[in-house]
Amino acid sequence: MIQALMDPKTVRRRHDREIVSLAVPAFGALVAEPLFVIVDSAIVGHLGTPQLAGLGVAAALLMTAVSVFVFLAYATTAAVARRVGAGDLASAIRQGMDGIWLALLLGVAVVAVTLPTAPWLIDIFGASDTAAPYAITYLRISSLGIPAMLIVLAATGILRGLQDTRTPLYVAIGGFAANAVLNVGLVYGAGLGIAGSAWGTVIAQCGMAVAYLIVVVRGSRKHGASLRPDTAGIRASAQAGAPLLVRTLSLRAVLLIATAVAARLGDAEIAAHQIVLSLWSLMAFALDAIAIAGQAIIGRYLGAGDADGARQVCRRMVQWGIASGVVLGLLIVAARPLFLPLFTGDSVVHDTLLPVLLVVALSQPIAGVVFVLDGVLMGAGDGRYLAGAMLVTLAVFAPVALLVPTLGGGLTALWWAMTLMMAVRMLTLWYRTRSGLWIVTGASR
């Protein structure tokens, strides 16, 4: 109501300040996370090729396991932000604690499954006889840090819901620095080899979890929120996260299908695909930062009962998504001569990459809209629609991608299929936001 009486330019500036203040630190935290694996790879790589190969297989398994549970952050952000908007900080933190307890339960369950099945999992991923022992060692030790990793996800969701993305940035930087120091000390100083790298990561992740818990416990004491586990609350958190789990698994299936198809196209194609996928993921960090801001801001507006404000900020964020996509697309095109030599000197891979990068550049504005609307609907707690929309997208993408080797077109055709996937996502998300059915006000959906 107040916003409706304000000058439109003033409203836009206010939204811009909110988006930037949340998105910039969120981007820093997102970029810091994959640096854990990069540091581990750099340090373990000097031990030998088998050790590095073992780390590669084990790290892929760990990252897959953790990424599946990213709903702990998304669902918690939306639920907490709604209660912040409603002015009930005690209930917001209580809701967040339910997410942390759920994260702990899931983490313990994953560890219980991973420890005895580590050799089987490594074998399925095709590790060589020389790399397998190192992979098993790294996976078993690192899996002990999974409960801490999932607690970090849930606690990050709490702070995002509280409109705080700076603390996660500081914790991520501290965790990255600790991981680097611990890895060097344990791998070389203590002579533990790849086991030292795994223990260093576990200790760093546990330290991050403790840092988050200290912040959350202080907040709970300040606002009188209970820290005890609540069965009904944990069940509600799981129910809110289940549709987002379906969404995430469907998205992972898209990426796995794309990689499988690229592998069938040839060695140059799969090499080029991995490079493009890495760049695509980096672009996704920038766009996902805006989506995270959307989750927090939209949840807060809906919790405060301000439907008009939610619509206005949604429109502004779409503009941000399009503009960011255009900038990223131009950067990809302009920086091609600079970054291609960093990845490979193979001229065949270079020739394969060039047309694919143009396709990726053209698709970035679409990706910008997709990430923003995804964040808006997550902030609104519209998980069921997101799950259904992603299943529809997977159903459209899979047959098109699988036909690429038969119909021809090579890797460029595969990435046109990826662009089709993003276009379908954009259309399904745009339809939902235009319908207004996502706008449900109040402290809970």
Side-chain angles (χ1 to χ4, degrees):
M1 184 68 69
I2 295 175
Q3 289 195 66
L5 301 176
M6 294 172 65
D7 177 68
K9 290 184 178 180
T10 302
V11 173
R12 282 198 299 271
R13 285 196 295 269
R14 177 180 168 186
H15 289 157
D16 289 345
R17 284 195 298 270
E18 281 190 310
I19 293 168
V20 170
S21 66
L22 291 172
V24 172
F27 174 70
L30 289 169
V31 170
E33 290 171 9
L35 291 178
F36 273 79
V37 177
I38 293 174
V39 167
D40 287 3
S41 300
I43 294 172
V44 170
H46 291 287
L47 295 174
T49 300
Q51 289 90 332
L52 183 59
L55 170 66
V57 174
L61 280 165
L62 282 168
M63 294 305 294
T64 298
V66 174
S67 66
V68 164
F69 296 109
V70 73
F71 70 84
L72 289 166
Y74 293 158
T76 304
T77 297
V80 171
R82 275 185 174 271
R83 285 161 176 78
V84 169
D88 190 352
L89 290 177
S91 177
I93 295 174
R94 172 67 264 177
Q95 181 73 32
M97 280 304 305
D98 292 333
I100 287 178
W101 283 112
L102 175 62
L104 180 60
L105 292 173
L106 291 173
V108 170
V110 173
V111 173
V113 171
T114 303
L115 288 177
T117 61
W120 176 74
L121 292 170
I122 295 299
D123 184 60
I124 283 183
F125 265 63
S128 67
D129 291 339
T130 55
Y134 298 109
I136 293 169
T137 297
Y138 190 90
L139 180 60
R140 278 181 165 160
I141 296 173
S142 292
S143 68
L144 299 176
I146 288 178
M149 294 181 197
L150 299 190
I151 288 173
V152 166
L153 284 177
T156 300
I158 295 176
L159 295 179
R160 289 173 181 171
L162 293 171
Q163 318 296 296
D164 176 9
T165 56
R166 290 182 180 273
T167 300
L169 172 60
Y170 300 147
V171 174
I173 292 173
F176 166 70
N179 180 61
V181 172
L182 287 166
N183 265 259
V184 171
L186 295 175
V187 172
Y188 298 112
L192 296 179
I194 195 170
S197 177
W199 280 117
T201 300
V202 169
I203 295 169
Q205 292 287 354
C206 289
M208 292 172 67
V210 169
Y212 274 118
L213 289 174
I214 290 172
V215 173
V216 173
V217 168
R218 285 177 178 173
S220 69
R221 288 176 176 172
K222 180 179 178 180
H223 298 287
S226 174
L227 296 173
R228 289 190 299 242
D230 177 66
T231 304
I234 295 172
R235 189 184 304 114
S237 294
Q239 290 172 345
L244 296 179
L245 175 61
V246 173
R247 167 202 167 274
T248 300
L249 290 174
S250 300
L251 182 57
R252 296 294 301 183
V254 164
L255 298 177
L256 287 173
I257 289 171
T259 300
V261 170
R264 292 174 60 188
L265 296 175
D267 290 345
E269 284 76 7
I270 185 61
H273 176 74
Q274 288 304 113
I275 293 171
V276 174
L277 196 60
S278 298
L279 291 170
W280 192 72
S281 299
L282 180 61
M283 300 300 103
F285 283 135
L287 298 175
D288 201 27
I290 303 174
I292 288 169
Q295 294 172 32
I297 296 171
I298 290 293
R300 194 187 77 233
Y301 273 107
L302 293 177
D306 189 353
D308 288 338
R311 289 190 186 93
Q312 289 178 18
V313 77
C314 175
R315 285 194 294 269
R316 189 56 178 163
M317 294 195 73
V318 168
Q319 293 169 1
W320 268 82
I322 294 172
S324 299
V326 169
V327 171
L328 291 174
L330 292 173
L331 282 175
I332 291 173
V333 174
R336 281 182 305 164
L338 299 176
F339 64 71
L340 283 182
L342 296 176
F343 288 101
T344 179
D346 191 325
S347 60
V348 176
V349 176
H350 274 205
D351 292 341
T352 305
L353 273 171
L354 290 175
V356 178
L357 289 174
L358 291 175
V359 174
V360 173
L362 289 171
S363 70
Q364 288 306 298
I366 297 174
V369 176
V370 168
F371 275 83
V372 165
L373 294 183
D374 210 36
V376 166
L377 295 183
M378 282 184 189
D382 204 8
R384 289 191 178 185
Y385 183 84
L386 288 171
M390 197 61 226
L391 287 172
V392 169
T393 302
L394 175 60
V396 173
F397 169 78
V400 174
L402 293 172
L403 283 173
V404 167
T406 303
L407 298 179
L411 192 65
T412 303
L414 176 60
W415 276 89
W416 275 120
M418 289 286 285
T419 302
L420 171 65
M421 179 270 294
M422 294 300 288
V424 172
R425 288 187 72 191
M426 183 180 71
L427 290 173
T428 56
L429 298 176
W430 176 83
Y431 172 78
R432 185 64 167 181
T433 53
R434 289 286 293 177
S435 72
L437 296 175
W438 59 280
I439 298 177
V440 178
T441 58
S444 60
R445 185 177 174 87

